[in-house]
Amino acid sequence: MTGNEHILKDGVQIVSRTNLKSIITFVNPEFIEASGFSEAELMGAPHNILRHPEMPPAAFADLWEKMKAGQPWSGMVKNRRKNGDHYWVEASVTPEKVDGQIVSFLSVRHKPTRDQVAGAEALYRDVNAGKASLKVSGWKARLGGLSLASKIAAASTLIILICLSAMILFTQSHSKASLDQIMLDNLHTENKLVISMIESYNRSLEKAATQLSNLFNAQFASEFSLDEAQTVEVAGKPTPLLKYGGLVLNGNFGLVDRFTADSGGAVATLFARKGDDFVRVSTSLKKEDGSRAVGTPLDRAHPAYAKLLAGQPFVGKASLFGHEYMTRYAPVKDAGGKVIAALFVGLDFSEQFLALKAQIKDIKIGQTGYVYVLDSGKNKGTLIIHPAKEGKNILNAKDASGNAFISEMLDKKQGVIRYPWINKELGDTSAREKIVVYDQFPAWNWVIGSGSYVDEFTAESTRIAWMILIAGFLAVVILAFFLFMLSKRLVARPLARVIDNMNEIAQGNYYATIPAGQADEIGQVFSALKAMQTKLGFSVAETNRVAQDSLRIKTALDN
């Protein structure tokens, strides 16, 4: 091979015919000129006499695959000339049939553009190097093998699926936002109802404790006196002498016990001031072991302490020795207005407290949601009310992502929190998103949370979305089937008839019946095909007449 390219003339058309064994049976003058061979050398020779060694075998394999299937082939071909030069053509090859049987192959070639040549050279070079392939594979090949009806049905189905999916996503997103707000509103409402219930209960207890405190205070009509210089030993500890109308109250349990008996179980305590402390000198409150809780000062961190120093009463809940009390502390002043003692009354509501806890634990939110209560005071993080972990301290508890959500709730005391949670005590095995609305009840140092898993609120929305998706999918399948059948009837079948008619014309049958009468685009194709058939038939007939006249004249001249 010389490597020199022979450039074809513009507008040249190279034509040849080969038999089924690829033996050349006809060539036109342009073919002879381009190849450099003589007509005698070409006629009866195998067509691969023109094959250039740089042409990929895969290109000819594809050509013969199409020929055997009775289909036309087109592509770029690099041919060799007799002198070793080469020339490029854009070739079209089609099988020639007689009575439906392939009898030969017709080839028509013309001059390609330089861009086509450059592209073909690069592609064939990569194919020969194993870097590229002429075969179309994957989804493109599968798509190319589909019928027109299938493609129309598939494209329509895809468009409908995209629209349906977008509609479902939009609907679900919108409904999720609406459900999310409804969920939050429900949780806020539930939490407020629980807090309102506790507030109402607390007010009734405070009122009862205040009434009992007034009854206890009414027993002391005379003035109290305190002598810090004298001490009386109570429970083994020195306490300042506290008197009421000359009656020493230190270690005197008659008054407090009588009040407890008369009040039906309310406890009472007398405090004597010692410096800035208030020391218990008499009480009817007993510890777990049955001994009286005397001789100890009131904790300065207790909210009643500052109130008493300021000469003000204090009412509040307290947990004392395994019992729940609503307490009231009342300051006692001397003639000069100085606080010298304090009177305490405690209403034991332990049984009612258990009933309150049970009532709160019975509240169900969604399927598994519940209300729980955290201590935000002295025992910060302890679960006061919880269906599974009551009494445990979970201050350092972390959710499935490592966030210390309990600590965050107790610090903020009010808000909404979402967190992934696995509640193993209730049978959970994997993390699910939980949402909790929480608020504080300062009077009892409580933070009350109402929460549930998000998927329990959105389950109905998800179920409806799946129903829409399934129904939509079934509708799309049915629609795709009808589109396929309709496309096959209105497009594919008429086009198949067009192809049959064109094949008849290609084989020289200019008299085949072509349907007419349709006014749509397919009808217009048939009309154009009929016009082409008539024109070609006329041209062939005219050519035959001219040829016969020429033959008659030649015969006459020869004679």
Side-chain angles (χ1 to χ4, degrees):
M1 298 297 103
T2 65
N4 298 324
E5 182 179 1
H6 173 75
I7 306 295
L8 299 178
K9 297 176 182 178
D10 292 337
V12 69
Q13 186 161 287
I14 301 171
V15 179
S16 68
R17 175 188 282 118
T18 60
N19 63 19
L20 297 180
K21 294 183 179 180
S22 195
I23 301 299
I24 298 173
T25 60
F26 170 80
V27 292
N28 68 345
E30 289 80 3
F31 188 106
I32 296 169
E33 193 278 330
S35 69
F37 290 95
S38 66
E39 183 176 2
E41 290 174 311
L42 291 171
M43 296 302 291
H47 197 281
N48 60 14
I49 193 175
L50 303 176
R51 181 175 297 183
H52 195 281
E54 292 180 3
M55 274 298 295
F60 295 107
D62 182 53
L63 182 152
W64 283 112
E65 183 180 338
K66 291 288 181 65
M67 292 302 101
K68 290 176 181 178
Q71 299 174 355
W73 178 91
S74 62
M76 292 289 293
V77 178
K78 185 177 186 179
N79 285 329
R80 65 179 288 270
R81 304 188 79 222
K82 183 177 180 179
N83 65 358
D85 293 347
H86 67 272
Y87 63 98
W88 282 94
V89 294
E90 183 177 6
S92 296
V93 185
T94 187
E96 187 176 20
K97 297 179 182 180
V98 174
D99 297 329
Q101 298 297 317
I102 299 174
V103 296
S104 60
F105 305 106
L106 300 178
S107 300
V108 178
R109 310 161 187 83
H110 62 270
K111 179 183 177 181
T113 65
R114 299 317 299 170
D115 287 342
Q116 286 178 300
V117 172
E121 283 183 331
L123 174 61
Y124 291 167
R125 186 168 50 250
D126 288 344
V127 170
N128 288 328
K131 297 179 181 179
S133 173
L134 296 176
K135 283 284 187 182
V136 179
S137 59
W139 67 270
K140 289 184 178 179
R142 290 192 291 272
L143 183 62
L146 293 176
S147 67
L148 183 59
S150 298
K151 290 178 181 178
I152 292 174
S156 302
T157 301
L158 181 61
I159 293 171
I160 294 170
L161 277 175
I162 292 173
C163 294
L164 181 64
S165 300
M167 181 189 72
I168 290 174
L169 287 174
F170 173 78
T171 303
Q172 190 172 23
S173 175
H174 182 73
S175 62
K176 186 179 182 301
S178 300
L179 285 172
D180 201 60
Q181 189 58 50
I182 293 172
M183 173 179 62
L184 282 174
D185 292 342
N186 288 341
L187 289 174
H188 277 294
T189 300
E190 194 67 55
N191 215 53
K192 286 179 180 178
L193 287 173
V194 173
I195 292 175
S196 296
M197 178 175 65
I198 297 171
E199 284 179 339
S200 177
Y201 189 49
N202 181 65
R203 282 195 298 270
S204 65
L205 288 172
E206 286 183 347
K207 183 178 180 180
T210 300
Q211 291 173 343
L212 287 171
S213 178
N214 291 335
L215 288 174
F216 181 58
N217 297 347
Q219 299 182 49
F220 304 99
S222 302
E223 292 186 355
F224 285 82
S225 62
L226 178 69
D227 187 353
E228 293 190 60
Q230 295 187 54
T231 60
V232 177
E233 192 171 285
V234 177
K237 297 177 182 179
T239 61
L241 179 63
L242 180 65
K243 291 183 178 181
Y244 165 69
L247 178 66
V248 176
L249 299 177
N250 303 61
N252 185 342
F253 305 116
L255 291 173
V256 293
D257 286 345
R258 185 167 61 251
F259 172 77
T260 297
D262 292 343
S263 64
V267 296
T269 300
L270 299 175
F271 289 87
R273 184 167 180 175
K274 182 181 181 181
D276 285 336
D277 288 318
F278 293 92
V279 182
R280 297 175 179 86
V281 297
S282 178
T283 187
S284 59
L285 177 63
K286 296 181 179 180
K287 303 177 185 178
E288 290 91 337
D289 59 5
S291 61
R292 296 178 186 268
V294 290
T296 55
L298 178 66
D299 191 342
R300 293 190 178 189
H302 195 287
Y305 176 80
K307 289 279 190 177
L308 291 175
L309 282 180
Q312 300 173 358
F314 170 80
V315 181
K317 174 184 167 296
S319 298
L320 303 171
F321 310 113
H323 290 262
E324 298 296 329
Y325 291 91
M326 180 56 69
T327 65
R328 186 174 190 273
Y329 294 79
V332 176
K333 301 177 182 179
D334 60 12
K338 179 183 178 181
V339 177
I340 60 171
L343 304 179
F344 163 89
V345 168
L347 173 63
D348 188 348
F349 67 99
S350 299
E351 291 185 5
Q352 295 90 332
F353 185 69
L354 291 174
L356 175 66
K357 289 169 67 174
Q359 189 175 358
I360 293 175
K361 283 192 284 188
D362 283 342
I363 297 173
K364 294 297 179 185
I365 302 173
Q367 297 176 5
T368 61
Y370 51 85
V371 178
Y372 60 93
V373 177
L374 289 161
D375 190 336
S376 62
K378 184 177 180 180
N379 299 312
K380 186 177 181 180
T382 297
L383 283 165
I384 298 170
I385 301 175
H386 191 274
K389 297 182 179 181
E390 192 170 292
K392 294 182 180 180
N393 190 292
I394 59 169
L395 179 62
N396 298 319
K398 295 181 179 180
D399 60 28
S401 62
N403 179 47
F405 67 101
I406 294 295
S407 178
E408 180 182 340
M409 289 172 61
L410 293 174
D411 289 341
K412 293 182 177 179
K413 291 185 169 53
Q414 184 183 49
V416 178
I417 190 169
R418 295 173 183 261
Y419 56 91
W421 184 245
I422 304 175
N423 204 333
K424 295 180 180 179
E425 289 80 2
L426 296 180
D428 290 349
T429 57
S430 59
R432 297 157 65 192
E433 185 184 15
K434 198 164 192 178
I435 182 169
V436 176
V437 171
Y438 59 97
D439 204 347
Q440 63 177 330
F441 185 61
W444 290 11
N445 287 324
W446 280 8
V447 170
I448 302 162
S450 298
S452 184
Y453 291 112
V454 173
D455 56 21
E456 293 182 3
F457 288 96
T458 59
E460 184 64 17
S461 172
T462 303
R463 186 181 70 84
I464 292 173
W466 274 108
M467 288 178 62
I468 293 174
L469 183 63
I470 293 171
F473 177 77
L474 292 175
V476 167
V477 170
I478 294 170
L479 183 60
F481 174 76
F482 280 106
L483 279 172
F484 173 77
M485 298 304 294
L486 194 63
S487 300
K488 192 172 182 180
R489 180 179 179 83
L490 298 181
V491 179
R493 288 179 181 173
L495 284 179
R497 295 181 68 182
V498 169
I499 293 169
D500 290 340
N501 289 138
M502 293 185 74
N503 284 331
E504 289 287 337
I505 294 172
Q507 304 308 319
N509 182 3
Y510 305 110
Y511 309 105
T513 301
I514 297 176
Q518 288 182 244
D520 57 15
E521 288 79 358
I522 296 294
Q524 293 174 25
V525 170
F526 279 122
S527 296
L529 186 61
K530 183 67 175 175
M532 183 180 74
Q533 181 193 47
T534 303
K535 176 65 175 176
L536 286 173
F538 177 82
S539 297
V540 169
E542 181 65 15
T543 301
N544 288 336
R545 185 188 65 79
V546 171
Q548 289 173 2
D549 288 346
S550 298
L551 179 61
R552 196 163 44 246
I553 293 171
K554 182 178 183 298
T555 301
L557 290 174
D558 289 342
N559 291 331

